[in-house]
Amino acid sequence: MATLSAEARTAYEDVRADATATNWLLLEYENDKSDNIVLAGTGSGGLAEIKTKLDDNKAAYGFVRVVVGNDELSQRVKFLFFVWCGSGVKVMRKAKLSIHTANVKQVIQVFSVEVPASTQEDLSESEVISLIKKSMGANYDGQGTK
């Protein structure tokens, strides 16, 4: 069983709060042998910024606030949760990811879309936005245009 740091719980609430600029958090393992999951970083640069923090040799969990909408009047805040498993992650860590994901979800409980990612392309902004819009139900993009 993985354990999450208290800072991870606080950061989650910070990303969810509308009153703060923080819009992402990244959780990583304390070290290669530990199942303790700690806060690796937070920021306000969205998906583009968190992607720069991902390491191909580490497993990580990300949570990102994403604003989607057709125009400025129909903006909605949605949340992306992703599990990062870089190409250099060791076999035993990969094996434990699915079990530990359940532990992480005890803290990160509210999100619209979950994405498994092993490459930067898996977290393409256009793909993520598309997945989030699909999760929202009715989509009125392009309504009234031919």
Side-chain angles (χ1 to χ4, degrees), residues 63 77-81 110-114 131-132 135-136:
F63 183 66
V77 173
K78 298 293 179 182
F79 296 94
L80 162 70
F81 172 69
V110 178
F111 52 88
S112 299
V113 175
E114 179 178 350
L131 287 171
I132 289 173
S135 78
M136 292 169 52

Side-chain angles (χ1 to χ4, degrees), residues 24-97:
W24 64 265
L25 69 82
L26 184 65
L27 304 174
E28 293 180 346
Y29 290 91
E30 192 170 44
N31 59 52
D32 282 345
K33 298 193 187 307
S34 173
D35 288 342
N36 294 329
I37 299 172
V38 298
L39 181 65
T42 61
S44 59
L47 185 58
E49 184 178 27
I50 195 173
K51 285 171 60 175
T52 67
K53 309 297 182 191
L54 300 174
D55 183 336
D56 282 338
N57 296 313
K58 292 183 178 180
Y61 303 90
F63 183 66
V64 184
R65 174 202 307 250
V66 180
V67 179
V68 294
N70 303 330
D71 54 42
E72 65 278 354
L73 297 176
S74 62
Q75 299 293 303
R76 291 187 176 88
V77 173
K78 298 293 179 182
F79 296 94
L80 162 70
F81 172 69
F82 67 87
V83 180
W84 172 258
C85 184
S87 59
V89 173
K90 294 179 181 175
V91 174
M92 285 308 294
R93 179 62 75 206
K94 285 181 184 180
K96 291 182 177 182
L97 271 180

